[in-house]
Amino acid sequence: MEELIERAGDFIINSRLTLALTGAGISVESGIPDFRSAGGLWSRFDPAEYATIAAFRANPEKVWGMLREMGQVVDQARPNKAHVGLGELEKMGYLHHIITQNIDNLHQEGGSRNVIEYHGNSSTLSCLWCGKRYGTDEKRDEVPPRCECKRILKPDVIFFGEAIPQDALNRSFQLASSARALMVIGTSAVVSPVNTIPSIAKQNGAKIIEINKERTHLTDSMTDIFLEGSAGLIVSDLVAAVKKKGEM
Ligand code: NAD
């Protein structure tokens, strides 16, 4: 493992544009369950039944039952060593952008500035009918939160079946096309279209460093270095290796 971390560190040091693509797995050590591992929130709330825009439109009260629980978990979560480590890499100038599928704001809380939120953010709510937007905090006591037009509000996170924000889509595509190194951290890479980012980067010559506690469909098809283990531990070791090399 030490040798793999050293090699990954070399890729990062020698890359003029490095990205990280992160998924739910990076926030598991902060106490937010991912979709696909056993146990937790998603074994009670099937994403197909609760996380689609069709489900929200059909029965927003029911979906808010899940959103409230998810919101409580996210509110209590604090950035872990992986979020903080990526923030440090950015400050050192070795990580240029994070593209995250997460809606938990933990990258920003962990010190990262250049974060593209591919699936939106849970800190605001919008009305699907009149378009008015509110801060989540302002509506914290309303269950479910309603717009002044009386309709039930939707958090500004992307549900399955909704379009990805155009800006996030375009910037991610451009960055992936010119990246020299891509860290893929804590994602099963099965959700589309965000899962096209590793192949776009790879086709354009980027080295792919994958950090996951399990192998994924990327591991044998496009990953150059697979660092198996928990994101907190591996990212910390990788940051330490990059720091050491940067000082040499
Ligand atoms: P996923 O649940 O499909 O996959 C999680 C991946 O992380 C798995 O490959 C798993 O092996 C790995 N993993 C779990 N714990 C880990 C750890 N400690 N260290 C390293 N790897 C670990 O998640 P996904 O690929 O992100 O796709 C799920 C979708 O659900 C995304 O679109 C995301 O928007 C959403 N989601 C977000 C959050 C959040 O904001 N924190 C939480 C749950 C789901």
Side-chain angles (χ1 to χ4, degrees):
M1 178 58 85
E2 210 174 303
E3 195 199 317
L4 289 176
I5 293 206
E6 289 289 318
R7 278 183 52 212
D10 284 336
F11 282 160
I12 291 170
I13 290 263
N14 295 319
S15 152
R16 61 180 155 71
L17 179 60
T18 299
L19 309 179
L21 170 65
T22 66
I26 197 169
S27 295
V28 167
E29 289 161 82
S30 293
I32 306 176
D34 62 5
F35 266 176
R36 286 164 185 87
S37 302
L41 204 62
W42 303 112
S43 49
R44 285 185 295 120
F45 297 110
D46 178 359
E49 210 182 311
Y50 285 87
T52 68
I53 188 64
F56 185 86
R57 284 184 185 278
N59 194 344
E61 281 99 340
K62 175 180 162 183
V63 172
W64 266 105
M66 176 274 288
L67 290 172
R68 278 284 171 225
E69 272 199 49
M70 174 91 183
Q72 283 164 2
V73 175
V74 169
D75 280 351
Q76 283 164 15
R78 294 292 164 261
N80 65 50
K81 286 193 285 183
H83 300 107
V84 173
L86 294 185
E88 279 181 57
L89 270 189
E90 184 187 294
K91 281 193 197 86
M92 289 191 282
Y94 292 120
L95 174 62
H96 303 97
H97 292 271
I98 294 174
I99 301 167
T100 189
Q101 299 168 73
N102 298 342
I103 48 88
D104 54 28
N105 215 43
L106 292 180
H107 284 302
Q108 292 90 331
E109 290 177 32
S112 296
R113 292 281 161 271
N114 297 326
V115 183
I116 298 174
E117 295 177 305
Y118 208 90
H119 291 157
N121 185 293
S122 54
S123 62
T124 55
L125 308 167
S126 291
C127 179
L128 292 176
W129 286 269
C130 76
K132 193 164 165 51
R133 180 174 278 187
Y134 301 82
T136 301
D137 281 344
E138 211 189 314
K139 293 280 174 186
R140 194 153 299 278
D141 299 332
E142 286 182 40
V143 187
R146 286 186 187 269
C147 183
E148 61 186 22
C149 75
K150 307 285 182 246
R151 303 284 199 158
I152 295 178
L153 294 163
K154 183 188 136 321
D156 288 329
V157 302
I158 304 302
F159 281 55
F160 290 115
E162 280 192 292
I164 304 300
Q166 200 60 43
D167 185 49
L169 201 64
N170 293 345
R171 287 181 64 215
S172 303
F173 179 79
Q174 272 168 4
L175 288 165
S177 307
S178 41
R180 297 280 68 122
L182 172 69
M183 289 183 265
V184 181
I185 309 174
T187 175
S188 57
V190 296
V191 174
S192 170
V194 68
N195 64 349
T196 58
I197 289 171
S199 53
I200 295 167
K202 180 81 178 178
Q203 277 161 20
N204 287 284
K207 297 290 184 193
I208 310 291
I209 301 161
E210 186 181 14
I211 300 174
N212 201 306
K213 61 175 193 161
E214 287 168 8
R215 300 176 78 79
T216 69
H217 70 97
L218 300 178
T219 313
D220 293 321
S221 60
M222 63 182 79
T223 297
D224 293 287
I225 298 182
F226 180 57
L227 301 174
E228 185 170 4
S230 74
L233 191 68
I234 304 273
V235 171
S236 305
D237 287 353
L238 188 54
V239 173
V242 169
K243 243 185 214 165
K244 205 164 120 202
K245 284 171 193 292
E247 284 162 2
M248 285 199 305

